[in-house]
Amino acid sequence: MRSKLFVPGSRPELFDKAFRSDADALSFDLEDSVSPDRKTEARQVLQALLSAEAPRASGKTLIARVNPCQSAHFAADVLAVVRPGLALLNLPKVESAEEVLAAAAALDAAEAANGVAEPVGLLLNIESARGLRLAHALAAAHPRVAGLQLGLGDLFEPLQIDRHDPATVHAVMLQLRLAAGEAGVFAYDAAYARFQDVDGFRAEAGEARRLGFLGKSCIHPSQVAHANDIFRPSDEEIARAQRVVAAADQAQARGVGAYTVDGEMVDAPFVLRARATLATARRLGLGQGPT
Ligand code: COA
Ligand code: MG
């Protein structure tokens, strides 16, 4: 899921373009991008879309962002969008473990009601000071949680923090990444509202990549290719990972735990990372790495 394109649920005229894009995932939105007077209509539109066969056959990871747990829309949103093929429910503005448990219970009920056999995961938006402080506890609150996603607009705007100060962005990215890592879930990068600023998008995505994020949220189709490019392992990384894994196999045969590859010491954690790189490469159809 290198790229995840947000599509407002109230704009069905964008759906075709979204499915034709190269985005790995599509996140149909019922929250901030839908005006309050069109929430019901958008929910009906998404229910119809996600009940159809074509989205499932698209090969894209299907995600729906519902309104917050405490909102009047939440229960109806979940019941509408939880359909076979939905991979993740994106929960905005999460601030307590109770909300995560309530969302998990709502998923139990919706899956049973709608005949959904494959459990839907939870992608929690961490987009408030409290949410960030509690990020690990939120991620660990229920096994349905698959990932944490940073929301920088909601986090920074009310506090009047500069959204485009790379040092500040780096600080919260690292905090989120460590919380996600401790809980064993993935970290996902925020949307970048200045969609004409390609260099800015790529710089931020690069930072997230170096911090081990899985991919970056996109709000505009033009951002998708950049996210896909930045979050794919480079040919150089794949080649090095192959050398590390080959050396690890030889070292194991010799009964050695630490050894040298390309002039650097390698031991168990480096091999783990190399194997993960090769697994990602295989998933993306890149290179022919050994396992
Ligand atoms: N998904 C699919 N298609 C999209 C799209 C999206 N998120 N955003 C734009 N497009 C399409 C446009 O319809 C247009 O298609 P066309 O060339 O066939 O007419 C093309 O891409 C270019 O769009 P453009 O005119 O540059 O954008 P815009 O000014 O119409 O819209 C936004 C800009 C930001 C309002 C729009 O991209 C958008 O709503 N993005 C999603 C916002 C969102 O979901 N936010 C919540 C999460 S933070
Ligand atoms: Mg928001």
Side-chain angles (χ1 to χ4, degrees):
M1 199 162 84
R2 300 161 299 172
S3 51
K4 173 174 73 59
L5 178 61
F6 270 112
V7 191
S10 54
R11 297 196 60 192
E13 73 277 12
L14 302 185
F15 293 176
D16 249 12
K17 189 147 192 146
F19 280 106
R20 279 188 282 108
S21 77
D22 287 328
D24 289 343
L26 299 180
S27 183
F28 295 96
D29 189 27
L30 293 173
E31 199 221 3
D32 281 350
S33 73
V34 176
S35 66
D37 55 323
R38 298 189 63 201
K39 295 282 188 191
T40 306
E41 173 197 338
R43 181 189 304 133
Q44 287 165 353
V45 165
L46 283 198
Q47 175 169 338
L49 175 78
L50 295 168
S51 301
E53 184 62 39
R56 258 173 280 163
S58 70
K60 297 204 182 293
T61 299
L62 300 176
I63 303 173
R65 183 167 75 171
V66 291
N67 287 287
C69 256
Q70 308 86 340
S71 74
H73 304 290
F74 177 74
D77 283 355
V78 175
L79 204 55
V81 299
V82 172
R83 302 283 151 180
L86 188 78
L88 293 169
L89 190 81
N90 184 199
L91 203 59
K93 302 186 173 65
V94 186
E95 293 198 321
S96 71
E98 288 70 31
E99 285 169 79
V100 178
L101 297 179
L107 281 175
D108 288 342
E111 286 170 358
N114 298 340
V116 174
E118 193 70 31
V120 176
L122 282 169
L123 173 59
L124 308 182
N125 282 6
I126 301 300
E127 45 190 355
S128 66
R130 182 182 159 87
L132 189 58
R133 177 168 58 82
L134 299 177
H136 167 260
L138 302 178
H142 195 277
R144 281 204 193 247
V145 178
L148 299 182
Q149 175 175 301
L150 198 53
L152 291 179
D154 283 287
L155 177 62
F156 285 168
E157 293 309 313
L159 302 177
Q160 301 181 28
I161 295 174
D162 180 357
R163 165 71 181 82
H164 292 280
D165 176 351
T168 311
V169 172
H170 173 87
V172 296
M173 276 183 180
L174 182 57
Q175 195 177 341
L176 182 108
R177 177 68 187 100
L178 293 175
E182 185 182 353
V185 304
F186 67 77
Y188 210 83
D189 196 19
Y192 192 81
R194 292 181 182 169
F195 59 87
Q196 286 164 348
D197 178 4
V198 173
D199 292 344
F201 180 90
R202 289 187 66 95
E204 195 167 278
E207 188 62 40
R209 169 85 199 287
R210 287 188 293 279
L211 289 170
F213 280 62
L214 189 61
K216 187 162 181 62
S217 305
C218 302
I219 50 148
H220 193 275
S222 64
Q223 296 177 323
V224 167
H226 298 292
N228 285 350
D229 179 36
I230 283 167
F231 286 94
R232 66 152 275 189
S234 68
D235 295 341
E236 214 168 280
E237 282 173 287
I238 296 169
R240 178 170 158 82
Q242 285 170 335
R243 290 195 296 278
V244 168
V245 168
D249 291 342
Q250 287 170 10
Q252 195 181 8
R254 288 185 286 127
V256 175
Y259 37 92
T260 304
V261 176
D262 301 341
E264 278 182 42
M265 186 211 73
V266 167
D267 62 6
F270 299 94
V271 179
L272 214 62
R273 181 185 186 144
R275 291 195 197 283
T277 299
L278 296 182
T280 304
R282 269 194 306 278
R283 214 171 44 243
L284 296 171
L286 309 165
Q288 303 294 318
T291 45

Short mmCIF file of all heavy atoms in Angstrom, two decimals, residues 11-48:
data_model
loop_
_atom_site.label_atom_id
_atom_site.label_comp_id
_atom_site.label_asym_id
_atom_site.label_seq_id
_atom_site.Cartn_x
_atom_site.Cartn_y
_atom_site.Cartn_z
N ARG A 11 -18.61 12.55 -4.15
CA ARG A 11 -18.23 12.91 -5.53
C ARG A 11 -18.06 11.67 -6.41
O ARG A 11 -16.95 11.34 -6.85
CB ARG A 11 -16.95 13.76 -5.53
CG ARG A 11 -17.14 15.09 -4.80
CD ARG A 11 -16.05 16.07 -5.11
NE ARG A 11 -15.96 16.39 -6.53
CZ ARG A 11 -14.93 17.03 -7.07
NH1 ARG A 11 -13.90 17.40 -6.33
NH2 ARG A 11 -14.91 17.30 -8.36
N PRO A 12 -19.18 10.98 -6.68
CA PRO A 12 -19.09 9.73 -7.46
C PRO A 12 -18.49 9.93 -8.84
O PRO A 12 -17.98 8.98 -9.45
CB PRO A 12 -20.55 9.25 -7.55
CG PRO A 12 -21.40 10.37 -7.09
CD PRO A 12 -20.56 11.27 -6.24
N GLU A 13 -18.50 11.18 -9.33
CA GLU A 13 -17.91 11.42 -10.66
C GLU A 13 -16.39 11.20 -10.64
O GLU A 13 -15.76 11.11 -11.69
CB GLU A 13 -18.28 12.84 -11.15
CG GLU A 13 -17.56 14.00 -10.47
CD GLU A 13 -18.18 14.44 -9.14
OE1 GLU A 13 -19.04 13.72 -8.60
OE2 GLU A 13 -17.79 15.52 -8.65
N LEU A 14 -15.79 11.12 -9.44
CA LEU A 14 -14.34 10.87 -9.35
C LEU A 14 -14.00 9.38 -9.25
O LEU A 14 -12.83 9.01 -9.35
CB LEU A 14 -13.76 11.59 -8.12
CG LEU A 14 -13.92 13.10 -8.00
CD1 LEU A 14 -13.17 13.61 -6.77
CD2 LEU A 14 -13.41 13.80 -9.25
N PHE A 15 -15.00 8.55 -9.03
CA PHE A 15 -14.71 7.14 -8.72
C PHE A 15 -13.97 6.43 -9.86
O PHE A 15 -13.01 5.70 -9.63
CB PHE A 15 -15.99 6.37 -8.38
CG PHE A 15 -16.67 6.80 -7.09
CD1 PHE A 15 -17.88 6.24 -6.71
CD2 PHE A 15 -16.10 7.77 -6.27
CE1 PHE A 15 -18.51 6.62 -5.52
CE2 PHE A 15 -16.73 8.17 -5.09
CZ PHE A 15 -17.93 7.59 -4.71
N ASP A 16 -14.45 6.64 -11.08
CA ASP A 16 -13.84 5.97 -12.24
C ASP A 16 -12.36 6.30 -12.34
O ASP A 16 -11.52 5.44 -12.57
CB ASP A 16 -14.53 6.45 -13.52
CG ASP A 16 -15.34 5.33 -14.13
OD1 ASP A 16 -15.52 4.31 -13.43
OD2 ASP A 16 -15.78 5.49 -15.29
N LYS A 17 -12.10 7.60 -12.20
CA LYS A 17 -10.72 8.07 -12.30
C LYS A 17 -9.86 7.44 -11.19
O LYS A 17 -8.71 7.07 -11.41
CB LYS A 17 -10.69 9.59 -12.16
CG LYS A 17 -9.34 10.17 -12.46
CD LYS A 17 -9.43 11.54 -13.09
CE LYS A 17 -8.08 11.91 -13.62
NZ LYS A 17 -8.12 12.70 -14.82
N ALA A 18 -10.45 7.31 -10.02
CA ALA A 18 -9.71 6.71 -8.90
C ALA A 18 -9.39 5.24 -9.21
O ALA A 18 -8.26 4.79 -9.01
CB ALA A 18 -10.53 6.82 -7.62
N PHE A 19 -10.36 4.50 -9.72
CA PHE A 19 -10.12 3.09 -10.03
C PHE A 19 -9.12 2.94 -11.17
O PHE A 19 -8.38 1.96 -11.23
CB PHE A 19 -11.43 2.35 -10.35
CG PHE A 19 -12.18 1.96 -9.10
CD1 PHE A 19 -13.33 2.64 -8.73
CD2 PHE A 19 -11.71 0.93 -8.29
CE1 PHE A 19 -14.00 2.29 -7.55
CE2 PHE A 19 -12.38 0.58 -7.13
CZ PHE A 19 -13.53 1.26 -6.76
N ARG A 20 -9.10 3.90 -12.09
CA ARG A 20 -8.16 3.81 -13.22
C ARG A 20 -6.76 4.29 -12.83
O ARG A 20 -5.81 4.12 -13.59
CB ARG A 20 -8.70 4.60 -14.42
CG ARG A 20 -9.76 3.79 -15.21
CD ARG A 20 -10.18 4.47 -16.51
NE ARG A 20 -11.11 5.56 -16.30
CZ ARG A 20 -10.83 6.85 -16.42
NH1 ARG A 20 -9.62 7.23 -16.79
NH2 ARG A 20 -11.74 7.77 -16.19
N SER A 21 -6.63 4.92 -11.66
CA SER A 21 -5.32 5.42 -11.23
C SER A 21 -4.44 4.23 -10.81
O SER A 21 -4.91 3.10 -10.70
CB SER A 21 -5.48 6.35 -10.03
OG SER A 21 -5.72 5.58 -8.85
N ASP A 22 -3.17 4.52 -10.56
CA ASP A 22 -2.24 3.47 -10.12
C ASP A 22 -2.18 3.37 -8.60
O ASP A 22 -1.25 2.75 -8.07
CB ASP A 22 -0.84 3.75 -10.68
CG ASP A 22 -0.78 3.47 -12.17
OD1 ASP A 22 -1.51 2.56 -12.63
OD2 ASP A 22 -0.03 4.17 -12.88
N ALA A 23 -3.13 3.97 -7.91
CA ALA A 23 -3.09 3.91 -6.44
C ALA A 23 -3.24 2.46 -5.98
O ALA A 23 -4.08 1.72 -6.48
CB ALA A 23 -4.21 4.76 -5.86
N ASP A 24 -2.42 2.09 -4.99
CA ASP A 24 -2.54 0.73 -4.44
C ASP A 24 -3.83 0.60 -3.65
O ASP A 24 -4.41 -0.48 -3.59
CB ASP A 24 -1.36 0.44 -3.49
CG ASP A 24 -0.04 0.27 -4.23
OD1 ASP A 24 -0.07 0.04 -5.46
OD2 ASP A 24 1.02 0.36 -3.58
N ALA A 25 -4.24 1.69 -3.01
CA ALA A 25 -5.45 1.65 -2.17
C ALA A 25 -6.31 2.88 -2.46
O ALA A 25 -5.81 3.94 -2.81
CB ALA A 25 -5.05 1.63 -0.70
N LEU A 26 -7.61 2.70 -2.31
CA LEU A 26 -8.55 3.82 -2.43
C LEU A 26 -9.28 3.95 -1.11
O LEU A 26 -9.76 2.96 -0.55
CB LEU A 26 -9.56 3.57 -3.55
CG LEU A 26 -8.98 3.41 -4.96
CD1 LEU A 26 -10.11 3.16 -5.97
CD2 LEU A 26 -8.16 4.63 -5.36
N SER A 27 -9.33 5.19 -0.61
CA SER A 27 -10.00 5.44 0.67
C SER A 27 -11.19 6.35 0.43
O SER A 27 -11.03 7.55 0.22
CB SER A 27 -9.01 6.08 1.65
OG SER A 27 -9.63 6.25 2.89
N PHE A 28 -12.37 5.74 0.41
CA PHE A 28 -13.59 6.51 0.16
C PHE A 28 -14.01 7.18 1.47
O PHE A 28 -14.09 6.54 2.51
CB PHE A 28 -14.68 5.59 -0.39
CG PHE A 28 -14.30 5.04 -1.73
CD1 PHE A 28 -13.71 3.80 -1.87
CD2 PHE A 28 -14.48 5.82 -2.87
CE1 PHE A 28 -13.33 3.32 -3.11
CE2 PHE A 28 -14.10 5.35 -4.12
CZ PHE A 28 -13.52 4.09 -4.24
N ASP A 29 -14.25 8.49 1.37
CA ASP A 29 -14.38 9.29 2.58
C ASP A 29 -15.82 9.72 2.85
O ASP A 29 -16.53 10.18 1.94
CB ASP A 29 -13.49 10.54 2.45
CG ASP A 29 -13.40 11.31 3.75
OD1 ASP A 29 -13.56 10.69 4.83
OD2 ASP A 29 -13.19 12.53 3.70
N LEU A 30 -16.21 9.56 4.13
CA LEU A 30 -17.49 10.11 4.58
C LEU A 30 -17.28 11.25 5.57
O LEU A 30 -18.23 11.88 6.01
CB LEU A 30 -18.34 9.01 5.24
CG LEU A 30 -18.83 7.90 4.31
CD1 LEU A 30 -19.51 6.78 5.10
CD2 LEU A 30 -19.79 8.47 3.27
N GLU A 31 -16.01 11.50 5.95
CA GLU A 31 -15.76 12.47 7.02
C GLU A 31 -15.50 13.89 6.49
O GLU A 31 -16.36 14.47 5.83
CB GLU A 31 -14.61 11.97 7.91
CG GLU A 31 -14.58 12.66 9.28
CD GLU A 31 -13.19 13.02 9.75
OE1 GLU A 31 -12.21 12.82 9.01
OE2 GLU A 31 -13.07 13.55 10.87
N ASP A 32 -14.28 14.38 6.68
CA ASP A 32 -14.02 15.81 6.46
C ASP A 32 -14.27 16.30 5.04
O ASP A 32 -14.54 17.48 4.84
CB ASP A 32 -12.57 16.14 6.85
CG ASP A 32 -12.40 16.27 8.36
OD1 ASP A 32 -13.41 16.30 9.07
OD2 ASP A 32 -11.24 16.36 8.80
N SER A 33 -14.16 15.44 4.04
CA SER A 33 -14.33 15.92 2.67
C SER A 33 -15.79 15.92 2.23
O SER A 33 -16.09 16.28 1.08
CB SER A 33 -13.48 15.08 1.70
OG SER A 33 -14.06 13.81 1.51
N VAL A 34 -16.70 15.53 3.14
CA VAL A 34 -18.14 15.53 2.81
C VAL A 34 -18.83 16.55 3.69
O VAL A 34 -18.70 16.51 4.92
CB VAL A 34 -18.75 14.13 3.04
CG1 VAL A 34 -20.25 14.14 2.79
CG2 VAL A 34 -18.06 13.09 2.16
N SER A 35 -19.57 17.47 3.08
CA SER A 35 -20.21 18.52 3.87
C SER A 35 -21.36 17.91 4.70
O SER A 35 -21.96 16.91 4.28
CB SER A 35 -20.72 19.64 2.97
OG SER A 35 -21.76 19.13 2.16
N PRO A 36 -21.64 18.51 5.87
CA PRO A 36 -22.63 17.93 6.80
C PRO A 36 -23.98 17.63 6.14
O PRO A 36 -24.60 16.61 6.43
CB PRO A 36 -22.77 19.00 7.89
CG PRO A 36 -21.47 19.72 7.87
CD PRO A 36 -20.99 19.70 6.44
N ASP A 37 -24.42 18.48 5.23
CA ASP A 37 -25.75 18.27 4.63
C ASP A 37 -25.75 17.16 3.57
O ASP A 37 -26.82 16.82 3.06
CB ASP A 37 -26.27 19.60 4.04
CG ASP A 37 -25.28 20.18 3.04
OD1 ASP A 37 -24.06 20.07 3.27
OD2 ASP A 37 -25.72 20.73 2.02
N ARG A 38 -24.57 16.59 3.27
CA ARG A 38 -24.55 15.53 2.26
C ARG A 38 -24.05 14.19 2.82
O ARG A 38 -23.73 13.27 2.05
CB ARG A 38 -23.70 15.99 1.06
CG ARG A 38 -24.31 17.23 0.39
CD ARG A 38 -23.63 17.56 -0.89
NE ARG A 38 -23.79 16.51 -1.89
CZ ARG A 38 -22.98 16.36 -2.95
NH1 ARG A 38 -21.99 17.20 -3.13
NH2 ARG A 38 -23.19 15.40 -3.81
N LYS A 39 -24.01 14.09 4.14
CA LYS A 39 -23.49 12.86 4.77
C LYS A 39 -24.35 11.64 4.40
O LYS A 39 -23.82 10.58 4.08
CB LYS A 39 -23.47 13.00 6.30
CG LYS A 39 -22.51 14.07 6.83
CD LYS A 39 -21.07 13.61 6.83
CE LYS A 39 -20.18 14.63 7.54
NZ LYS A 39 -18.76 14.36 7.34
N THR A 40 -25.68 11.81 4.46
CA THR A 40 -26.57 10.67 4.21
C THR A 40 -26.47 10.22 2.76
O THR A 40 -26.35 9.02 2.46
CB THR A 40 -28.03 11.06 4.54
OG1 THR A 40 -28.04 11.56 5.88
CG2 THR A 40 -28.96 9.88 4.43
N GLU A 41 -26.46 11.20 1.88
CA GLU A 41 -26.35 10.89 0.45
C GLU A 41 -25.03 10.18 0.14
O GLU A 41 -25.00 9.16 -0.57
CB GLU A 41 -26.44 12.23 -0.30
CG GLU A 41 -26.19 12.18 -1.77
CD GLU A 41 -25.88 13.58 -2.32
OE1 GLU A 41 -26.27 14.59 -1.68
OE2 GLU A 41 -25.22 13.67 -3.37
N ALA A 42 -23.93 10.69 0.72
CA ALA A 42 -22.62 10.07 0.46
C ALA A 42 -22.58 8.64 0.99
O ALA A 42 -22.01 7.74 0.36
CB ALA A 42 -21.52 10.90 1.12
N ARG A 43 -23.19 8.44 2.14
CA ARG A 43 -23.22 7.09 2.72
C ARG A 43 -23.95 6.12 1.79
O ARG A 43 -23.51 4.99 1.57
CB ARG A 43 -23.93 7.14 4.08
CG ARG A 43 -24.00 5.81 4.79
CD ARG A 43 -24.90 5.90 6.01
NE ARG A 43 -24.48 6.93 6.93
CZ ARG A 43 -25.30 7.83 7.48
NH1 ARG A 43 -26.59 7.84 7.21
NH2 ARG A 43 -24.83 8.73 8.31
N GLN A 44 -25.08 6.59 1.22
CA GLN A 44 -25.83 5.73 0.29
C GLN A 44 -25.02 5.42 -0.96
O GLN A 44 -25.03 4.30 -1.47
CB GLN A 44 -27.16 6.41 -0.08
CG GLN A 44 -28.16 6.38 1.06
CD GLN A 44 -29.33 7.34 0.88
OE1 GLN A 44 -29.34 8.15 -0.07
NE2 GLN A 44 -30.31 7.27 1.77
N VAL A 45 -24.31 6.44 -1.43
CA VAL A 45 -23.47 6.26 -2.62
C VAL A 45 -22.40 5.19 -2.35
O VAL A 45 -22.17 4.29 -3.17
CB VAL A 45 -22.83 7.61 -3.03
CG1 VAL A 45 -21.70 7.40 -4.02
CG2 VAL A 45 -23.88 8.55 -3.58
N LEU A 46 -21.75 5.29 -1.20
CA LEU A 46 -20.69 4.33 -0.88
C LEU A 46 -21.24 2.94 -0.63
O LEU A 46 -20.61 1.94 -1.00
CB LEU A 46 -19.88 4.79 0.33
CG LEU A 46 -18.88 5.90 0.09
CD1 LEU A 46 -17.86 5.95 1.22
CD2 LEU A 46 -18.16 5.74 -1.25
N GLN A 47 -22.43 2.87 -0.04
CA GLN A 47 -23.03 1.55 0.17
C GLN A 47 -23.25 0.86 -1.18
O GLN A 47 -22.92 -0.31 -1.36
CB GLN A 47 -24.35 1.66 0.93
CG GLN A 47 -25.04 0.30 1.04
CD GLN A 47 -26.21 0.30 2.00
OE1 GLN A 47 -26.31 1.14 2.89
NE2 GLN A 47 -27.12 -0.66 1.81
N ALA A 48 -23.76 1.62 -2.13
CA ALA A 48 -24.01 1.06 -3.46
C ALA A 48 -22.69 0.67 -4.13
O ALA A 48 -22.56 -0.43 -4.70
CB ALA A 48 -24.77 2.06 -4.32
#
